Amino acid sequence: MIFRQFFDSVSSTYTYLLASRRGGEALIVDPVLEKVDRYLQLITELDLKLVKAVDTHLHADHITGLGALRDRTQCITVMGEQSGVDVVSMRVSEGERLDIEGVSLDVLYTPGHTDDSYSFLLPDRVFTGDTLLIRGTGRTDFQNGNPRAQYESIFGKLLKLPDETMIFPAHDYKGDTVSTIGEEKAFNPRLQVRSVDEYADVMNNLNLPNPKMMDVAIPANMRVGLAQEEIRRRGWAVTATEALALMGQPDVALIDLREKHERERHGVIPGSLHAPYPDLQEKIRPGGILNDLASATGKRIVFYCAFGERSAMAVQAAQDAGLSSACHIDGGFSAWKKVGGPLD
Ligand SMILES: [Fe+2]
């Protein structure tokens, strides 16, 4: 496996790049905006294709690189289902898996630092965000933080992992780079408590100053900007209500870009075809299955995904490939459900 740890010295943030092989798909965890050029340089050097960029939670101390990575690589942007961040194109929840070619992460909901905090688990290591740090834990005094929820996340989930599991956190302020579950159980001073009450007491009395960037970073990270705004402006979008009338039309092909687990969990639009977003490029180029479908049958391609973000990028790619009738459902499956669209 290719595994790289990057450090942003301004915010003391760690960012992780994962891939199963040179030339393969890659995933990045907690990218920092100012470091995006560096990540992309390494991604090019290792001949990787960035397909997913993940934030463990809404960061208060730096601006996320999710938007810039989306704009420059058309990757899928991922956060937990609680996230209200606009740039997110795929939301995951406890028990799901986050997959790229050759790498599959278990999704653990670990709230407490914030109410949208997630950890991502591989067989030998876990990315803990700000839930569990090296000899510390993430503060719980803002962004709907909750020390009791954090105690449950740490003691009820993370510390139940095998002792040898490596911990890769989102931050370290002392220069440590990695720890293990066993080490943190034994030596993390915050974890040497006898009860949830004692833990809450410790966390409620830290009296930390707010992060320097907080007033800038939180609003900036909430509204990074949508891919679908430009697509709407170009007239390549239909509303969910308009899409209702297109369903079942013989000259329309509805294409679902979501992944299998999203379809199973949330349902699909009846009669739609499945073409997962990461493989889209090969399907829309001349000779690709969607290109053939559109040119041979004259069908209008209507993409949809979860929230309209992946499908907006797909419309742009399809238009670039010459599929001039391609459009998408603005707001995606979420908007479809809101207007009472039928589900399979
Ligand atoms: Fe944080």
Side-chain angles (χ1 to χ4, degrees):
M1 190 173 80
I2 294 172
F3 175 73
R4 293 289 187 278
Q5 183 176 35
F6 300 93
F7 185 60
D8 171 50
S9 56
V10 178
S11 60
S12 299
T13 301
Y14 285 128
T15 301
Y16 303 96
L17 180 71
L18 301 172
S20 63
R21 62 176 179 94
R22 263 180 176 267
E25 292 184 351
L27 173 148
I28 197 164
V29 180
D30 287 330
V32 174
L33 178 62
E34 287 78 7
K35 299 285 173 191
V36 160
D37 283 338
R38 174 68 192 121
Y39 311 143
L40 292 176
Q41 180 189 22
L42 185 64
I43 284 167
T44 304
E45 287 165 351
L46 299 181
D47 190 26
L48 298 172
K49 180 188 176 202
L50 185 68
V51 294
K52 285 181 182 158
V54 187
D55 266 352
T56 52
H57 63 288
L58 177 67
H59 294 288
D61 54 3
H62 67 269
I63 296 179
T64 177
L66 251 52
L69 288 169
R70 172 201 64 189
D71 293 342
R72 292 173 65 179
T73 69
Q74 283 71 54
C75 67
I76 297 172
T77 43
V78 184
M79 286 183 75
E81 65 179 343
Q82 289 75 9
S83 172
V85 168
D86 65 354
V87 73
V88 174
S89 61
M90 178 175 174
R91 289 179 171 81
V92 291
S93 53
E94 169 84 17
E96 287 186 346
R97 301 187 81 92
L98 181 59
D99 295 319
I100 58 165
E101 174 206 351
V103 181
S104 182
L105 297 129
D106 278 316
V107 177
L108 302 177
Y109 180 43
T110 50
H113 169 59
T114 64
D115 61 356
D116 67 349
S117 287
Y118 277 75
S119 299
F120 297 94
L121 176 67
L122 283 172
D124 67 341
R125 67 195 66 194
V126 60
F127 303 98
T128 54
D130 289 357
T131 302
L132 179 55
L133 305 173
I134 300 172
R135 308 300 191 263
T137 57
R139 62 193 297 173
T140 55
D141 56 339
F142 55 72
Q143 290 180 275
N144 301 318
N146 180 330
R148 290 170 184 278
Q150 191 174 51
Y151 180 92
E152 268 317 305
S153 297
I154 294 173
F155 284 87
K157 286 184 186 169
L158 296 173
L159 297 189
K160 298 237 161 97
L161 297 172
D163 277 355
E164 59 277 15
T165 310
M166 289 182 282
I167 295 172
F168 288 98
H171 292 290
D172 192 85
Y173 305 95
K174 310 169 300 294
D176 291 321
T177 54
V178 58
S179 182
T180 65
I181 292 292
E183 248 178 77
E184 292 311 308
K185 260 186 208 164
F187 304 118
N188 188 322
R190 296 253 176 98
L191 306 185
Q192 312 310 312
V193 291
R194 283 169 307 247
S195 67
V196 61
D197 291 329
E198 194 182 333
Y199 184 74
D201 212 43
V202 170
M203 295 308 286
N204 288 335
N205 288 291
L206 295 177
N207 300 316
L208 299 167
N210 280 344
K212 287 190 286 278
M213 283 281 286
M214 184 165 158
D215 295 340
V216 177
I218 292 180
N221 287 337
M222 284 300 293
R223 280 177 295 281
V224 177
L226 293 162
Q228 51 198 311
E229 282 162 3
E230 177 61 17
I231 296 301
R232 195 182 302 142
R233 207 183 57 73
R234 295 183 182 194
W236 295 335
V238 295
T239 65
T241 309
E242 288 164 347
L244 280 172
L246 297 177
M247 194 183 70
Q249 296 282 335
D251 58 341
V252 169
L254 275 164
I255 310 288
D256 184 356
L257 298 167
R258 295 170 304 159
E259 297 186 4
K260 189 164 164 274
H261 69 90
E262 296 178 276
R263 289 159 55 86
E264 287 166 358
R265 186 178 161 88
H266 300 289
V268 302
I269 298 180
S272 58
L273 305 172
H274 185 211
Y277 176 80
D279 308 324
L280 184 75
Q281 283 297 345
E282 66 198 53
K283 296 197 178 83
I284 56 175
R285 70 166 68 110
I289 183 167
L290 290 179
N291 199 302
D292 283 355
L293 178 76
S295 47
T297 65
K299 279 183 197 277
R300 181 180 186 194
I301 302 280
V302 183
F303 292 112
Y304 73 95
C305 62
F307 307 102
E309 287 296 289
R310 274 171 279 177
S311 56
M313 294 189 287
V315 170
Q316 185 64 62
Q319 291 282 347
D320 291 346
L323 302 178
S324 59
S325 73
C327 66
H328 84 133
I329 303 178
D330 204 81
F333 195 71
S334 152
W336 176 263
K337 280 203 288 198
K338 277 191 198 122
V339 300
L343 313 179
D344 254 2

